[in-house]
Amino acid sequence: MTAIAYASPFVPVEWIAAHGLRPLWLRPPAAGGGAEFAAARGVCPYAGAVVDAAETGIDASALVLTTICDQMRFASALIESSGRCPVFLLNVPSTWQTGEARSLYLAELCRLGRFFEKHGGKPPNGAELARVMLAYDRARSALLSAQSTLSARQFAETAAKYRGPLETASPPKPDAPPADGIPLAVLGGPLLEADYEFFDVLQRAGGRVVLDATEGGERTMPRGFDPRKIDADPLRALADAYFNAIPDAFRRPNAALYEWLGRELAARHVRGIVFRRYVWCDLWHAELQRLKRWTALPVLDLDAGADDVAAPNRMQGRFEAFLEMLA
Amino acid sequence: MICAGVDAGSRTAKVVLFDSDSLGVAAAGVVDQGIDQDAVADALFVRLIRENGIDPSQVGPVVGTGYGRKLIRFAQKTITEITCQAAGIRHSVPEARTIIDIGGQDSKYLRLNGNGSVADFAMNDRCAAGTGRFLELLAAQLGVRLDRLGEIAALSRNPAIISSMCAVFAETEIVGLLASGITTADIAAGVLASIATRVAAMSGRNLDGPIVLTGGVALVPGMEAALESILGQPVAVAPRPQITCALGAAILAWKSLNGSPTPTA
Amino acid sequence: MNDRPRKITLDQWDDRHAELRAAGLNEPSYGGPLGRHAAQGDVRLRKLSFDNSPAALRLWNFLLSEEDRLRDCKARGKKLVGAMKDLGTVPVMVYSLPNLAAFYPDGAWWLPCMKENRTDLLKIADSLGIDDSFCPVRAMLGAFVNQKHFPLPGLLTCSVGATCDDFSAIAQRVESLGFPILWWEIPHRRRPDGDEPVVELPGGFTAPETQVAFVRAELERIRRALADYAGEPLTDELLSAGIERANQVRSILGKLRELAYCANPCPMPALEMLIAEMLAIHFCSDHNETVAVLAELRDEVVRRVRAGIGVLADDAVRVFWVNPVADLRVMNLLEDAGGRVCGTEYLFCHALDPIPADLPPMEALARMALADPMVGSPRDRTGRIVADIRRFGAEALVVSRIPGASHCAWEAAAIGEAVRAQLDIPMIDIEVPSLADAMRPTLRTRLEALLETARTRRR
């Protein structure tokens, strides 16, 4: 089955799968040499790593990126110009209030569908799309229900699997985190595969992640599809669920991110927030002090660079200090 | 009972022996760090006990802190330098609400609650700009002894602007300033202002007073003045700033002995 | 009095100003010696060198009196619109309504330079978490907070979407502090797919018709907001007249650029040309005066070209300059090193192109907005740069990076590669902070090396 790689939660996995293609949620393993060089010049290490991954070859026929940050926009151009990998740049409006913006996103999904067809995809009929949507919806609901029985890393990795083909995403075996860990939220942008280590380090230091609000986590999972909308127009239901409901820093204005966060932090009795960002990611970085003023909870700033794999003590020390503070 | 705090920092190791009867420092020492951090700290620890005539049987718990804390095998417990620094400053400057700690390789900002516990902190351990290492590099480039940097900077009438965020590029800037005929005093003042600006930016400049400066760089005359100028608030240098973190570790060791809850890591 | 064109210092300008006044120089209300601006805090002027023409004096005085003019506008009951980020579209709409004036809050990015950091703007930005890893435009955030540099506008607009993350994040911070913003979307300009209707844009770009329609709808939202704010409808007639006036500015600038960048010897320094080009995007809150200021500058350039006189040596190396500099002094530095600017791409070349006058006005504005070099792919922008380098006959290229500006980190390398591949001219990329004094020897060395390389190729 032809694989389509993608690196943004605003690309609906259901849309890829419904075209008979294998979705591949791109998680570059780690920031490589190119990313380090890029970071030194002011480029987000994650975007640099996506370029590195595309240059070295990904196991997919094409790559889909989105315009939710300028780093990925430029990354897309760089990958396209190298000719190594066909790339599709999906326009995701930053504004969300207007019917025009919603229509633009829907039109972009249609354009993406035509791109899939060029890469071997078959346009789904409404019933097929609805079936795939409901299957993913059930899988995500099951994952969210099981969240308390999973370690943070398990949750993050399973969430990543559920952004791929469902057939190969077996449910995780429960591996409950220590019940006495301090309940924490992790908020921020995307993670490299190597960065998932930080969930373990955080847990070992005494934390318990009850809300994974990183780009690959719960924050960006579309909530239950409206069955009536699915029946009437599944593609519109899909577009609405993704475009209207995912709170993110890039939205203008981005008040919905704080509204969502406020609800979830209270519901889960979170005691501290780990704010995870890449250096040179302006969109998230700019939210740090605002978050600190907005919330009464302590916030740990965890800035990640291209060289962090080589400096695990830095992260560990911060976690320990943060948890000592919360103890 | 003597309780000990060992701060295994990136540039130096510090040991404080805290007398739980007098609630004061019985002995303290600082040595340059080495490859075997445990051995360096252990040697200092043993020397302080011997030189101060302390009966080894009276030495109780030892808490290790600092970047190398996990390497201190003779410490029964490790606590991060954030918590220890807060405890140390709480002891020596009880009214402090903000701590700025500029060490050899990193800088930190801590905001304290009214009870001296940590309410918020931020760290720059990513680049040398804003650290003692940066200061050393640039002082060397200016041909100025570190302990005279503040004195020379005080003569400045028009502090130079060091704009680079990177220590390496800042060195290039200093070469440029020297070549342009800018005075050493103006460059020295610019260097201190640059560090103060970095630290202030890290803290978000939202600092409650009193503000206390600690860490090795607090020993550089003029640093507190540069911070005061940037922050627009008085900044006091902590007593014996190099050892406040180790002192905090020793105090936390004593509190653990008393059954007071102490954070563990 | 010696009227030979030359570059002079601020002190020399003040002496010259006295001489010109004595000789009967007639100045507008904002005229006067340039030294007064330095005395009022724009101390960077003391380190710059200026063109010695009365036209340049007027240009500088016009620019440096913008804060006074904005306050005066407000005092006279004119309504102010802060038009952020879009670099040339919304101001055209604003000036179509007689009781509105637009200004460019982003312009605050030059304040740390002009005031040599003797301002609290960056400290305020730091305190709000916008540190120096962001573009110097973060000074704008400080200006909103301290309210010392422009009066608060009654309406703030900001384009988002395919814009810089730096700016978008800073503008969001502005809004979160209680300054409501009317956001409008400018999507990433993409190549039309095979079967899509295509629209030609100014500057030689194309876009799918659907994208133009989308931007038109976004601008309709702006139109309604402006009409509500002004209390009168913004009709197509008013807009067409506004476009005509904007094109008047663009036409003068087009002529000015053609002459200043092509004539030999160079008739106008790079610094004055940079200031003149910037007027195209904001009109310094007075459209009519912008026309008058630029027309006088153009006439002076025409006079010099006809007389075969200029401000730089005949053999100055012709350099194409990409991106505006955060420190204005660097434009002087290039000329001191023996170069001259013979073409620019300061991120808003779309605001220098005529707005199509044969289209319905909203359609024309939408096409113009989508022609912004920053909203398309770097390939598009590079293509235009390469074409302009050829057009102006540049011998060398300088790509000036803005510290913290995320697009620069990606684009400098891409532009360099394209130029190397398509043109046989030397290039350098340099980073210019708001105050580049400490970098001056390094920058001068690099610029001199570039110019020497270009000269060697002449032989």
Side-chain angles (χ1 to χ4, degrees):
Chain A
M1 191 187 288
T2 305
I4 298 289
Y6 69 111
S8 167
F10 286 88
V11 178
V13 60
E14 298 88 340
W15 193 225
I16 303 174
H19 278 80
L21 300 166
R22 183 166 62 87
L24 176 67
W25 173 243
L26 183 65
R27 285 186 298 157
E36 282 180 36
F37 171 73
R41 289 179 62 101
V43 167
C44 159
Y46 179 80
V50 168
V51 173
D52 276 355
E55 292 297 305
T56 51
I58 48 178
D59 186 20
S61 306
L63 171 63
V64 184
L65 302 175
T66 65
T67 59
I68 65 172
C69 74
D70 67 359
Q71 302 287 298
M72 295 309 276
R73 224 165 63 225
F74 286 113
S76 154
L78 203 58
I79 295 167
E80 187 181 31
S81 68
S82 78
R84 287 283 185 92
C85 174
V87 59
F88 183 95
L89 184 63
L90 185 85
N91 250 313
V92 181
S94 299
T95 51
W96 43 267
Q97 306 89 329
T98 65
E100 284 85 359
R102 291 191 286 274
S103 297
L104 174 64
Y105 180 71
L106 182 63
E108 284 290 287
L109 290 187
C110 294
R111 199 167 67 84
L112 180 61
R114 293 194 288 276
F115 177 79
F116 289 156
E117 288 174 45
K118 284 184 198 156
H119 289 274
K122 228 178 100 183
N125 60 32
E128 173 60 10
L129 176 58
R131 186 193 65 75
V132 173
M133 286 167 65
L134 291 171
Y136 273 96
D137 199 31
R138 280 192 297 275
R140 283 190 292 258
S141 297
L143 174 62
L144 290 173
S145 307
Q147 191 175 11
S148 60
T149 67
L150 304 175
S151 69
R153 186 181 183 125
Q154 263 190 320
F155 178 80
E157 291 189 335
T158 311
K161 280 184 193 161
Y162 284 5
R163 293 179 192 271
L166 277 185
E167 304 77 53
T168 57
S170 52
K173 289 178 189 161
D175 175 19
D180 57 349
I182 294 175
L184 301 172
V186 182
L187 173 66
L191 298 176
L192 296 166
E193 194 171 10
D195 293 331
Y196 280 52
E197 172 74 14
F198 99 85
F199 287 115
D200 292 337
V201 178
L202 188 51
Q203 187 165 308
R204 281 199 299 271
R208 183 162 55 92
V209 177
V210 295
L211 178 62
D212 174 359
T214 61
E215 190 170 284
E218 184 178 342
R219 174 173 59 80
T220 63
M221 288 181 188
R223 298 300 181 271
F225 298 116
D226 181 338
R228 283 166 306 174
K229 280 189 181 174
I230 288 187
D231 288 344
D233 186 345
L235 180 55
R236 181 167 287 278
L238 185 71
D240 285 350
Y242 275 83
F243 185 68
N244 300 354
I246 297 179
D248 204 282
F250 86 98
R251 296 294 181 123
R252 293 294 172 266
N254 61 13
L257 173 65
Y258 289 88
E259 286 161 16
W260 176 83
L261 204 53
R263 281 194 306 274
E264 299 301 327
L265 293 174
R268 297 162 202 235
H269 309 291
V270 168
R271 289 182 49 204
I273 302 170
V274 177
F275 186 80
R276 172 64 168 64
R277 65 182 170 91
Y278 285 107
V279 291
W280 304 114
C281 170
D282 297 326
L283 292 172
W284 281 103
H285 185 184
E287 298 300 322
L288 173 62
Q289 288 296 335
R290 185 177 168 204
L291 178 72
K292 282 191 167 191
R293 289 172 193 212
W294 171 81
T295 180
L297 296 172
V299 177
L300 173 68
D301 176 25
L302 196 64
D303 56 338
D307 57 345
D308 280 19
V309 176
N313 284 348
R314 176 189 295 154
M315 182 165 60
Q316 187 171 337
R318 287 193 196 193
F319 284 153
E320 288 177 1
F322 189 58
L323 289 159
E324 285 168 3
M325 190 175 103
L326 295 173
Chain B
M1 171 68 75
I2 296 293
C3 301
V6 181
D7 176 5
S10 57
R11 311 294 299 280
T12 55
K14 288 80 75 176
V15 173
V16 167
L17 304 181
F18 184 77
D19 185 338
S20 62
D21 299 325
S22 67
L23 297 184
V25 174
V30 180
V31 291
D32 284 344
Q33 194 54 277
I35 293 169
D36 185 344
Q37 298 196 22
D38 181 53
V40 168
D42 191 44
L44 175 61
F45 178 66
V46 169
R47 180 163 64 81
L48 286 177
I49 290 172
R50 191 180 63 240
E51 287 178 355
N52 289 279
I54 294 168
D55 177 356
S57 68
Q58 287 300 301
V59 178
V62 179
V63 164
T65 188
Y67 269 178
R69 64 187 177 280
K70 309 275 189 198
L71 302 172
I72 307 302
R73 288 193 291 269
F74 64 98
Q76 289 89 43
K77 182 183 279 190
T78 62
I79 300 176
T80 67
E81 55 271 38
I82 297 290
T83 306
C84 291
Q85 195 63 269
I89 292 294
R90 173 74 171 165
H91 180 80
S92 45
V93 191
E95 67 278 13
R97 295 301 297 272
T98 293
I99 302 170
I100 292 170
D101 172 4
I102 310 180
Q105 300 281 27
D106 68 7
S107 48
K108 308 178 193 78
Y109 132 84
L110 287 75
R111 183 163 59 85
L112 305 182
N113 289 317
N115 64 4
S117 62
V118 181
D120 187 21
F121 71 91
M123 299 171 77
N124 163 34
D125 49 10
R126 180 163 297 289
C127 71
T131 70
R133 179 73 188 135
F134 180 76
L135 208 53
E136 279 179 357
L137 278 172
L138 303 190
Q141 204 174 9
L142 290 173
V144 172
R145 277 195 358 234
L146 203 53
D147 59 355
R148 288 205 60 223
L149 198 66
E151 183 189 327
I152 291 167
L155 302 173
S156 168
R157 289 189 167 181
N158 187 18
I161 304 288
I162 314 273
S163 54
S164 181
M165 292 165 63
C166 167
V168 178
F169 290 136
E171 280 190 87
T172 309
E173 287 194 37
I174 286 178
V175 172
L177 289 167
L178 288 168
S180 306
I182 306 295
T183 67
T184 304
D186 284 344
I187 300 174
V191 166
L192 290 176
S194 166
I195 293 186
T197 302
R198 301 270 165 265
V199 172
M202 173 180 63
S203 66
R205 294 180 186 260
N206 308 306
L207 308 183
D208 299 329
I211 303 171
V212 173
L213 172 63
T214 191
V217 172
L219 294 169
V220 176
M223 193 64 240
E224 81 277 20
L227 277 166
E228 284 180 347
S229 167
I230 298 290
L231 296 171
Q233 291 192 66
V235 174
V237 175
R240 304 178 77 181
Q242 263 188 306
I243 63 156
T244 49
C245 189
L247 171 63
I251 290 169
L252 292 173
W254 167 63
K255 286 190 173 175
S256 71
L257 192 69
N258 282 352
S260 303
T262 57
T264 55
Chain C
M1 191 170 29
N2 182 0
D3 278 336
R4 183 177 59 83
R6 63 195 178 103
K7 286 165 66 180
I8 58 177
T9 64
L10 190 71
D11 287 343
Q12 289 170 325
W13 238 127
D14 285 351
D15 293 343
R16 180 166 166 74
H17 179 261
E19 290 173 12
L20 287 168
R21 288 285 289 183
L25 174 70
N26 190 15
E27 287 190 282
S29 59
Y30 53 84
L34 284 185
R36 76 184 196 282
H37 301 293
Q40 288 164 8
D42 291 334
V43 291
R44 193 61 171 170
L45 296 173
R46 295 200 178 104
K47 293 197 177 120
L48 302 180
S49 53
F50 307 87
D51 182 75
N52 69 338
S53 65
L57 174 71
R58 184 176 181 181
L59 174 74
W60 278 103
N61 271 326
F62 185 48
L63 175 78
L64 297 169
S65 58
E66 166 76 337
E67 290 178 16
D68 298 335
R69 198 161 32 255
L70 286 170
R71 293 201 167 84
D72 187 49
C73 269
K74 200 156 185 178
R76 285 187 290 111
K78 246 190 172 175
K79 294 180 175 178
L80 294 182
V81 179
M84 299 197 291
K85 192 65 194 111
D86 72 276
L87 302 175
T89 307
V90 170
V92 176
M93 300 172 74
V94 172
Y95 284 103
S96 300
L97 283 160
N99 65 336
L100 298 188
F103 75 102
Y104 180 51
D106 323 22
W109 86 300
W110 267 322
L111 289 172
C113 167
M114 292 302 281
K115 301 192 182 304
E116 293 198 337
N117 274 357
R118 290 168 206 169
T119 159
D120 59 357
L121 296 175
L122 299 182
K123 286 185 186 175
I124 295 170
D126 279 347
S127 73
L128 294 166
I130 307 295
D131 62 20
D132 57 3
S133 65
F134 289 83
C135 163
V137 78
R138 70 196 179 104
M140 176 187 77
L141 183 59
F144 271 102
V145 172
N146 77 6
Q147 296 184 21
K148 288 180 185 164
H149 300 284
F150 47 75
L152 287 181
L155 179 63
L156 262 179
T157 67
C158 183
S159 64
V160 282
T163 58
C164 313
D165 284 355
D166 299 73
F167 196 90
S168 176
I170 293 167
Q172 174 63 70
R173 208 72 184 87
V174 168
E175 184 180 69
S176 71
L177 295 172
F179 304 98
I181 292 175
L182 176 59
W183 306 94
W184 65 278
E185 187 85 26
I186 183 84
H188 171 71
R189 184 182 65 238
R190 62 174 175 84
R191 269 177 304 186
D193 291 336
D195 52 350
E196 276 185 299
V198 179
V199 173
E200 300 284 336
L201 305 177
F205 301 129
T206 59
E209 192 178 80
T210 50
Q211 283 202 319
V212 177
F214 176 82
V215 175
R216 202 171 57 232
E218 288 296 283
L219 292 178
E220 285 290 355
R221 286 202 295 127
I222 300 291
R223 165 146 92 167
R224 288 193 292 276
L226 291 175
D228 288 348
Y229 182 42
E232 64 175 301
L234 179 50
T235 62
D236 277 2
E237 290 69 30
L238 285 170
L239 277 171
S240 294
I243 287 172
E244 196 178 320
R245 285 197 297 277
N247 279 342
Q248 193 184 359
V249 170
R250 294 173 186 218
S251 161
I252 296 171
L253 273 170
K255 178 76 175 169
L256 190 56
R257 277 164 51 91
E258 199 69 37
L259 290 169
Y261 294 152
C262 296
N264 204 26
C266 175
M268 188 55 63
L271 188 50
E272 278 73 14
M273 286 303 296
L274 168 63
I275 304 300
E277 289 194 25
M278 295 297 289
L279 290 184
I281 56 176
H282 53 72
F283 308 131
C284 247
S285 67
D286 187 335
H287 180 275
N288 292 336
E289 193 60 25
T290 295
V291 171
V293 166
L294 290 178
E296 186 176 341
L297 197 67
R298 176 201 58 200
D299 294 346
E300 175 64 18
V301 168
V302 168
R303 185 186 73 78
R304 290 177 179 184
V305 171
R306 284 183 182 152
I309 52 178
V311 287
L312 299 173
D314 287 3
D315 69 341
V317 174
R318 301 171 59 77
V319 173
F320 193 93
W321 196 282
V322 172
N323 295 336
V325 284
D327 184 350
L328 298 172
R329 199 179 178 202
V330 173
M331 302 315 288
N332 286 160
L333 187 62
L334 172 77
E335 293 174 346
D336 295 347
R340 60 169 290 189
V341 166
C342 77
T344 58
E345 207 284 43
Y346 289 141
L347 299 169
F348 55 83
C349 53
H350 66 301
L352 300 170
D353 294 325
I355 305 168
D358 54 346
L359 296 170
M362 293 302 281
E363 172 73 13
L365 288 169
R367 291 190 190 188
M368 203 264 291
L370 256 180
D372 183 336
M374 295 297 290
V375 310
S377 75
R379 185 194 54 241
D380 281 0
R381 184 176 181 220
T382 302
R384 179 156 187 175
I385 287 169
V386 167
D388 280 355
I389 289 173
R390 285 199 175 109
R391 177 179 152 219
F392 288 115
E395 299 169 275
L397 169 68
V398 175
V399 179
S400 169
R401 282 185 282 120
I402 303 164
S406 51
H407 62 90
C408 288
W410 291 90
E411 286 191 315
I415 293 169
E417 271 176 34
V419 167
R420 278 188 207 98
Q422 298 176 50
L423 302 166
D424 185 26
I425 63 168
M427 72 84 70
I428 54 169
D429 75 274
I430 55 175
E431 184 166 277
V432 179
S434 293
L435 286 174
D437 292 351
M439 304 296 293
R440 194 173 165 81
T442 313
L443 288 172
R444 176 149 189 156
T445 301
R446 298 189 67 188
L447 288 169
E448 283 181 355
L450 177 77
L451 302 178
E452 282 166 8
T453 307
R455 277 211 173 84
T456 305
R457 294 188 179 199
R458 284 179 179 172
R459 292 174 197 143

